[in-house]
Amino acid sequence: MKYGRDLLKDVQGYVPGEQPQGQRVIKLNTNENPYPPSPRVKELFDKFDLDWLRKYPDPVSSQFREICAARYGYDSPDWVLIGNGMDELLALVLRTFVDPGDDVLATYPTYSLYEILCQLHGCPLKYVDLDEDFQLTEEFYTTPARLCLLTRPNAPSGVAVPREAVERLCTEFDGIVVIDEAYVDFADDSCIDFPKRFDNVIVMRTFSKSFSLAGMRIGTAVANPDIMAEFMKTKDSYNMDAISQLVGLVAMDDYAHMEMNAGYVCVTRERVRQELIALGFDVPDSQTNFVLARWNGSPSAKELFERLGEQGILVRYFNARRLENALRITIGTDEECDTLLAALRGMVG
Ligand SMILES: Cc1ncc(COP(=O)(O)O)c(C=O)c1O
């Protein structure tokens, strides 16, 4: 089990404050959004009144849940839970529905935090490999577990399995299916309607990526009200502070701003993907705000990662099976991506 700096390095790929000194850092390693959040968030902070902090916040984020329910196509806030980042909701789902010792199922590769959360909770995480094209295999549908964690679109591949495949999983899996839609605003479609159709499905989202609010810690979960009632019993009473609730609410209310930023990111993503392919990388079609650039040439992917780091360009390298020949690159501004591409051209071109 890793702690402190090692744990941070594992989850984030870097330790804050350890960036190369005196260099302009281009941070393309944790899938943040390069564009600012809604200007309404700025207005909110301009109007900030300290008195907002004197009282406890609404324990169940009522207004915020209402606006999320409407946006997600649900007629009642009873279908929605707000969390202190999606990571809190992922930990909560284990605490609420999984006993220590129960099996949890996930694809390999997937979001690396699942393994850490399962270790902390004392429940074995069973990985079933995605196939070469990062699609689900027959074995995945037939592996029994109490809970299944499915990242769609997948991280770190960027690939989204078809909705029909998720539909089949939700029908056949005898347990709870969590669909992690952290990157869905950069994708062509979503499974946000699945909780209406399947009692065993929880869809989770985050404001860290498409809404440019990673620093606020806001996540949402959508599931039928019976599941939500269980969550309400296990969550911390005041899990969302007053500021996060307000920021989330105004950001959600300015949905068009998020869609505009996500649109910019997707355009840059397609250009970066094509340029990486022209350089000889193998880059699966991404439905996220990052690309997985696979590289079998010389210098190795690990060396590329290190040499980029020396130039202040941070990307993510996984020292892990099936990923050791790849770089995961967050889509930044066009200028940031051009700097990255120029640096790579100098190394592999
Ligand atoms: C697949 C996936 N799920 C969840 C999260 C966590 O989101 P949050 O920042 O809301 O905790 C991340 C963050 O990188 C992620 O990649």
Side-chain angles (χ1 to χ4, degrees):
M1 186 66 213
K2 291 179 175 165
Y3 296 98
R5 302 167 88 74
D6 289 342
L7 183 66
L8 263 183
K9 262 201 173 130
D10 225 31
V11 176
Q12 301 203 144
Y14 79 109
V15 177
E18 284 194 357
Q19 290 96 338
Q21 290 296 308
Q23 255 178 359
R24 180 184 166 215
V25 171
I26 296 183
K27 197 170 168 310
L28 305 177
N29 62 344
T30 48
N31 300 340
E32 287 132 341
N33 196 313
Y35 302 111
S38 162
R40 292 199 208 157
V41 174
K42 173 81 173 64
E43 279 167 36
L44 188 75
F45 281 108
D46 289 343
K47 285 192 287 196
F48 189 80
D49 180 348
L50 272 183
D51 202 47
W52 295 352
L53 301 185
R54 204 168 44 76
K55 294 186 194 146
Y56 282 106
D58 174 354
V60 291
S61 310
S62 314
Q63 277 184 289
F64 188 14
R65 277 164 63 220
E66 232 162 80
I67 192 168
C68 290
R71 173 55 66 183
Y72 296 151
Y74 288 80
D75 56 12
S76 152
D78 293 345
W79 289 79
V80 178
L81 178 74
I82 312 288
N84 188 24
M86 196 208 288
D87 286 348
E88 187 206 14
L89 295 171
L90 288 166
L92 194 62
V93 82
L94 293 181
R95 200 156 80 216
T96 312
F97 294 108
V98 179
D99 289 326
D102 284 349
D103 287 329
V104 175
L105 174 66
T107 65
Y108 184 85
T110 193
Y111 180 35
S112 49
L113 187 76
Y114 298 161
E115 189 168 331
I116 294 164
L117 292 177
C118 286
Q119 277 174 11
L120 289 171
H121 194 63
C123 49
L125 180 61
K126 287 201 230 169
Y127 280 127
V128 174
D129 275 23
L130 292 167
D131 71 12
E132 271 305 297
D133 300 319
F134 298 106
Q135 296 298 320
L136 300 181
T137 59
E138 275 309 306
E139 190 189 346
F140 194 75
Y141 295 106
T142 52
T143 302
R146 175 82 192 94
L147 181 96
C148 167
L149 296 166
L150 180 73
T151 326
R152 180 187 190 271
N154 176 262
S157 71
V159 173
V161 299
R163 252 173 72 96
E164 301 76 60
V166 189
E167 224 164 315
R168 180 178 161 200
L169 177 72
C170 297
T171 310
E172 294 180 10
F173 185 75
D174 185 18
I176 291 178
V177 179
V178 174
I179 308 173
D180 176 337
E181 292 200 339
Y183 298 100
V184 80
D185 293 319
F186 307 100
D188 295 338
D189 60 16
S190 93
C191 296
I192 195 72
D193 54 316
F194 279 27
K196 275 185 208 163
R197 299 165 46 204
F198 301 100
D199 285 347
N200 60 334
V201 171
I202 305 172
V203 176
M204 292 192 185
R205 292 194 173 183
T206 175
F207 278 51
S208 300
K209 316 292 177 185
S210 54
F211 284 92
S212 315
L213 288 169
M216 283 308 304
R217 316 306 302 127
I218 303 169
T220 60
V222 180
N224 82 60
D226 291 338
I227 289 186
M228 285 302 154
E230 294 307 307
F231 273 142
M232 286 295 178
K233 289 183 205 158
T234 48
K235 80 171 187 66
D236 288 349
S237 19
Y238 298 108
N239 67 324
M240 290 301 291
D241 66 73
I243 299 174
S244 300
Q245 289 188 37
L246 277 170
V247 168
L249 198 143
V250 298
M252 194 53 144
D253 200 34
D254 192 3
Y255 204 74
H257 179 87
M258 178 280 283
E259 287 180 311
M260 180 183 74
N261 281 351
Y264 293 152
V265 168
C266 291
V267 171
T268 308
R269 176 187 73 201
E270 290 320 303
R271 180 173 73 81
V272 170
R273 177 166 176 255
Q274 292 310 326
E275 296 202 26
L276 287 168
I277 290 171
L279 281 174
F281 288 87
D282 171 22
V283 190
D285 187 13
S286 169
Q287 295 274 296
T288 62
N289 67 339
F290 57 85
V291 289
L292 188 73
R294 291 186 282 189
W295 176 253
N296 285 311
S298 167
S300 68
K302 184 161 189 284
E303 280 170 83
L304 293 178
F305 159 76
E306 283 162 0
R307 284 166 62 178
L308 287 170
E310 283 159 16
Q311 296 185 30
I313 303 170
L314 308 182
V315 297
R316 185 80 199 266
Y317 176 75
F318 299 91
N319 195 5
R321 191 171 60 82
R322 285 183 66 179
L323 299 169
E324 57 279 88
N325 294 334
L327 302 175
R328 194 198 65 189
I329 302 168
T330 303
I331 301 302
T333 60
D334 280 297
E335 192 205 348
E336 289 172 326
C337 291
D338 286 341
T339 307
L340 165 90
L341 289 165
L344 282 176
R345 241 174 250 123
M347 295 172 199
V348 305

